[in-house]
Amino acid sequence: MKQTFLSLVFTIAAITIFAQPNSAGRSVLDPAYEPFYHGVASGDPLPDRVILWTRITTSALTENVTWQIATDVNFNNVVNSGVVTTDDTKDFTVKVDAAGLQANTWYYYRFNGQGKYSITGRTRTAPTTGVTNLRFAVLSCSNLPNGYFHAYRNIVDKNEVDAVLHLGDYIYEYKTNSAVPNDTTRKHEPDNEILTLADYRMRHSQYKLDADLRECHRQFPFICVWDDHETTNNSWKGGADNHTQGTEGNWYDRKGFGIKAYFEWMPLRPISPTNDSSIYRTLSFGNLADVIMVDTRLEGRDQQAPGILVQPTHPIIIDSTRSLFGAPQLTWFNNQLKNSTATWKIVGNQVMVAPLTINALIVNPDQWDGYPFDRKKVFDNILGNDIKNVVFLTGDIHTSWANDVPYDRSIYNPSTGAGSAAVEFVCTSVTSGSEINVSAGIVQSANPHMKYIDLSKRGYVLLDITASRTQGDWIHVSDITKKSFTASVSASWAVNLGERFLRMAVSPIATRSGMPNLATAPTSVGNIIKTDIVSLMCYPNPFTKEIQLQYYLFEGGNSIATVFDKRGRKVFEQALPGNTIGLHEANLQLEKLSKGNYIVQIVTPKGTIAKEIIKVQ
């Protein structure tokens, strides 16, 4: 999402944040997790299987990692297990589609590598029949330097959801910008706009080290789609607003790097064994809901109309050949809606569906407003086939909205909701900024189908689904630049079975009982550290010209990278830039070396680590 898209309509509130040299923060490397520093995760639950994920930090060229999934936290009843081999082609990530499971069941899972167990994760399979209630946390837009990930932590603290629906902008591509006060660990790594596969992998690595995100992943299965910042701002299938062809490389290479890193680092199931670049898919939760995840960003989107405040008669807007989905996905999506036998059709989507105009001008053509012909085809399918109970879930915009979605604004009745085709719950961001100095009433006066708007708070939507209604509570957290926080419900809106419009809920969603206990935390190792440095990434390997290192220092001190040939002769040496506690990255230019096998050694005042690298030309 272009964060300044309302800048010609509204005055953006400035947020001034100063970085201090104190690195005591949450995004740190915990020795208790060795060698699975990035934790564990699960995702895409089906009735008989679920994706399990981890990443092993190693100096070897390959690693064999065993996995187990059990019905009990002590692993006395292991129901499936196996061994996965991983290497640098997967960035040493491990992904398992653990099958043979029972529907609607909580499981515990773990990995073992280098003789050590990972932390224990908790996950749940999807139900099949007799489902009376589902509960999801819905969130998007987690920009690490903007603040602490309180939304993830609150989801864990509440311990009420069946799964987390992440609607994109899981990472951000920008170079280091403002960090929260007194916490330099929230500066982006690498310290540049990410462009290469190594860059994207390194950024995913940093985000997975955040303690709040890591804990949320290990307690609940995630169902995810990307938005634009997993590649770069306002991306479409053939380019992006924030990509300069040539000086920032080839767009299709960059898009491919972002997609590859996303599939490596996320607990996501490919839609088929031969398709590792598409993410649109349906996950069924018995008779109660089908969760239909779509890609309105990279799959088939044509280029956006330029600018903001665009005339609806702009030649690009009225071009009926332009698409938001692409023809294959649009056909698939309409068929999913039409053929669903579930009570509720829950659509996980990146950008706002409901029209948003000011003075009859399209505010943001990056949203569905910029693609009216695809929107009409979807609405024609919904109304023409009398498809009821369609609920759109949306992220991207960094603000909170509860919308009726009118088929035609000229015949929509804001008092009764007549003329609405569906409803939309728009979650705010986890941290990404979008504070706007304007009354929500000004927006609502021009868009009466928008029933609730908050333009400043951070948090997520708690979505509760029953046979009679679907309700969303906007849970907002206090100051994301401070480690301590509170959370509260700011608004509650619901859609009743068979209706196509929102009503203000009578009360917030009730506390859910009967949830299993959270998986326990690892045993603390205190301050005992075998070495003061851990190498998290050395990429690419094999290499041709250069390698990028990501490493973590537990204690401050000067570090030196030295490369030795197979006879033990020093052929390269470079002082590393990071000498303070925390996460660092470095680039070694090794194009002058002959092809062959080498050892790269990193030496600090208290320890040494080494890894074999291979130069192929």
Side-chain angles (χ1 to χ4, degrees):
M1 179 224 173
K2 186 181 295 180
Q3 292 189 18
T4 57
F5 85 92
L6 294 176
S7 60
L8 295 186
V9 186
F10 308 129
T11 301
I12 305 298
I15 305 177
T16 305
I17 302 175
F18 300 93
Q20 302 288 339
N22 180 354
S23 62
R26 295 185 179 184
S27 189
V28 297
L29 204 64
D30 188 338
Y33 289 78
E34 182 190 6
F36 302 100
Y37 292 106
H38 299 91
V40 299
S42 68
D44 281 5
L46 300 179
D48 68 335
R49 65 189 61 215
V50 65
I51 295 291
L52 308 179
W53 177 95
T54 192
R55 200 261 187 179
I56 187 167
T57 296
T58 179
S59 59
L61 294 178
T62 63
E63 281 283 356
N64 291 324
V65 176
T66 62
W67 60 274
Q68 297 174 308
I69 187 166
T71 57
D72 65 299
V73 71
N74 295 318
F75 291 86
N76 293 320
N77 183 33
V78 175
V79 297
N80 203 349
S81 62
V83 181
V84 175
T85 300
T86 187
D87 56 27
D88 199 61
T89 64
K90 307 169 188 174
D91 200 17
F92 291 95
T93 58
V94 176
K95 191 181 291 189
V96 177
D97 202 351
L101 309 180
Q102 296 297 311
N104 199 29
T105 303
W106 285 97
Y107 287 94
Y108 299 88
Y109 62 96
R110 64 185 179 183
F111 299 87
N112 187 285
Q114 301 174 13
K116 298 179 181 180
Y117 282 112
S118 70
I119 56 172
T120 296
R122 187 186 70 161
T123 191
R124 187 175 192 171
T125 52
T128 52
T129 58
V131 189
T132 59
N133 178 240
L134 290 167
R135 191 167 293 187
F136 301 114
V138 184
L139 40 69
S140 69
C141 304
S142 44
N143 191 350
L144 188 140
N146 272 29
Y148 295 113
F149 289 164
H150 295 330
Y152 294 126
R153 176 58 60 176
N154 187 249
I155 294 167
V156 173
D157 291 344
K158 288 175 70 68
N159 189 25
E160 292 186 3
V161 301
D162 299 299
V164 175
L165 307 186
H166 202 295
L167 303 180
D169 294 344
Y170 180 92
I171 65 167
Y172 275 71
E173 83 282 12
Y174 299 130
K175 65 180 182 180
T176 292
N177 49 19
S178 298
V180 296
N182 305 316
D183 192 353
T184 58
T185 66
R186 302 196 79 79
K187 287 186 175 181
H188 267 149
E189 294 284 346
D191 187 14
N192 56 264
E193 184 177 328
I194 54 177
L195 300 170
T196 67
L197 179 56
D199 289 342
Y200 282 98
R201 284 171 162 176
M202 197 175 294
R203 190 63 56 84
H204 274 281
S205 170
Q206 182 187 19
Y207 275 60
K208 282 291 199 304
L209 293 175
D210 181 87
D212 296 325
L213 174 55
R214 183 175 57 199
E215 188 66 10
C216 196
H217 266 301
R218 88 166 178 130
Q219 301 293 354
F220 307 101
F222 273 52
I223 301 170
C224 304
V225 287
W226 55 54
D227 194 15
D228 50 345
H229 290 288
E230 286 86 353
T231 48
T232 191
N233 185 57
N234 278 8
S235 51
W236 53 285
K237 66 181 181 183
D241 175 69
N242 193 34
H243 179 79
T244 303
Q245 190 77 6
T247 59
E248 293 184 320
N250 179 277
W251 163 249
Y252 293 99
D253 289 340
R254 185 179 185 181
K255 181 170 76 167
F257 296 151
I259 289 173
K260 178 173 173 56
Y262 188 87
F263 269 95
E264 289 173 344
W265 281 84
M266 299 297 288
L268 177 75
R269 180 182 291 107
I271 64 172
S272 76
T274 59
N275 188 335
D276 59 358
S277 61
S278 296
I279 58 170
Y280 60 91
R281 63 209 188 277
T282 297
L283 293 98
S284 294
F285 288 79
N287 55 292
L288 189 57
D290 280 343
V291 176
I292 307 169
M293 307 297 282
V294 300
D295 182 357
T296 59
R297 183 56 66 185
L298 296 179
E299 180 73 25
R301 176 195 282 256
D302 289 304
Q303 188 171 11
Q304 302 91 332
I308 57 176
L309 293 179
V310 177
Q311 291 282 353
T313 56
H314 189 288
I316 293 179
I317 300 296
I318 64 173
D319 181 355
S320 63
T321 66
R322 293 175 65 253
S323 180
L324 181 65
F325 289 93
Q329 185 187 189
L330 180 59
T331 298
W332 171 87
F333 178 50
N334 276 335
N335 285 335
Q336 293 296 299
L337 291 176
K338 184 169 62 175
N339 297 330
S340 173
T341 58
T343 301
W344 297 95
K345 294 79 177 169
I346 309 296
V347 182
N349 152 74
Q350 289 83 355
V351 291
M352 188 180 286
V353 182
L356 173 58
T357 61
I358 298 291
N359 295 328
L361 298 175
I362 294 172
V363 172
N364 181 19
D366 186 62
Q367 298 177 171
W368 284 48
D369 275 335
Y371 303 84
F373 290 92
D374 267 15
R375 182 164 61 187
K376 185 176 186 301
K377 290 173 184 175
V378 170
F379 290 176
D380 284 344
N381 177 54
I382 291 173
L383 296 178
N385 291 288
D386 194 25
I387 302 170
K388 295 183 173 65
N389 309 319
V390 178
V391 177
F392 288 96
L393 307 177
T394 301
D396 182 72
I397 199 170
H398 307 174
T399 41
S400 303
W401 312 66
N403 301 329
D404 288 348
V405 184
Y407 175 82
D408 183 340
R409 294 184 65 171
S410 67
I411 60 173
Y412 168 76
N413 186 329
S415 299
T416 65
S420 181
V423 301
E424 181 177 28
F425 297 93
V426 182
C427 65
T428 185
S429 64
V430 175
T431 58
S432 301
S434 187
E435 293 195 12
I436 302 170
N437 284 336
V438 66
S439 167
I442 295 175
V443 184
Q444 286 179 298
S445 65
N447 300 274
H449 55 283
M450 294 174 166
K451 304 303 178 182
Y452 165 71
I453 304 173
D454 180 274
L455 300 172
S456 64
K457 299 183 182 72
R458 311 275 72 83
Y460 64 100
V461 168
L462 184 66
L463 193 76
D464 190 73
I465 305 170
T466 69
S468 61
R469 65 99 180 96
T470 292
Q471 179 171 326
D473 282 5
W474 279 260
I475 298 180
H476 291 144
V477 300
S478 57
D479 193 344
I480 59 171
T481 67
K482 297 178 181 177
K483 292 181 185 178
S484 61
F485 73 100
T486 59
S488 59
V489 177
S490 294
S492 301
W493 287 81
V495 55
N496 289 333
L497 180 71
E499 297 181 344
R500 302 180 187 273
F501 56 90
L502 291 171
R503 299 175 184 268
M504 185 178 291
V506 175
S507 61
I509 297 166
T511 300
R512 195 182 201 188
S513 60
M515 291 285 289
N517 292 333
L518 295 171
T520 56
T523 302
S524 174
V525 297
N527 295 318
I528 301 173
I529 301 170
K530 292 184 297 184
T531 177
D532 69 333
I533 186 171
V534 170
S535 175
L536 292 168
M537 182 180 298
C538 177
Y539 182 83
N541 189 23
F543 70 98
T544 57
K545 294 182 180 180
E546 63 183 19
I547 59 173
Q548 286 183 258
L549 302 175
Q550 184 185 52
Y551 58 99
Y552 190 92
L553 292 178
F554 289 103
E555 294 187 13
N558 294 325
S559 306
I560 297 175
T562 307
V563 178
F564 300 91
D565 66 14
K566 60 185 178 181
R567 295 175 61 184
R569 296 174 298 187
K570 183 191 301 184
V571 294
F572 180 89
E573 188 170 81
Q574 177 179 314
L576 298 180
N579 59 10
T580 59
I581 295 173
L583 195 64
H584 303 283
E585 48 94 12
N587 185 288
L588 306 185
Q589 297 291 331
L590 303 176
E591 66 272 14
K592 293 183 179 179
L593 299 184
S594 301
K595 67 179 181 179
N597 290 37
Y598 298 87
I599 297 293
V600 59
Q601 178 179 278
I602 303 176
V603 179
T604 73
K606 288 193 62 177
T608 300
I609 57 174
K611 181 177 178 65
E612 183 179 2
I613 57 175
I614 302 172
K615 192 171 191 294
V616 292
Q617 69 179 39

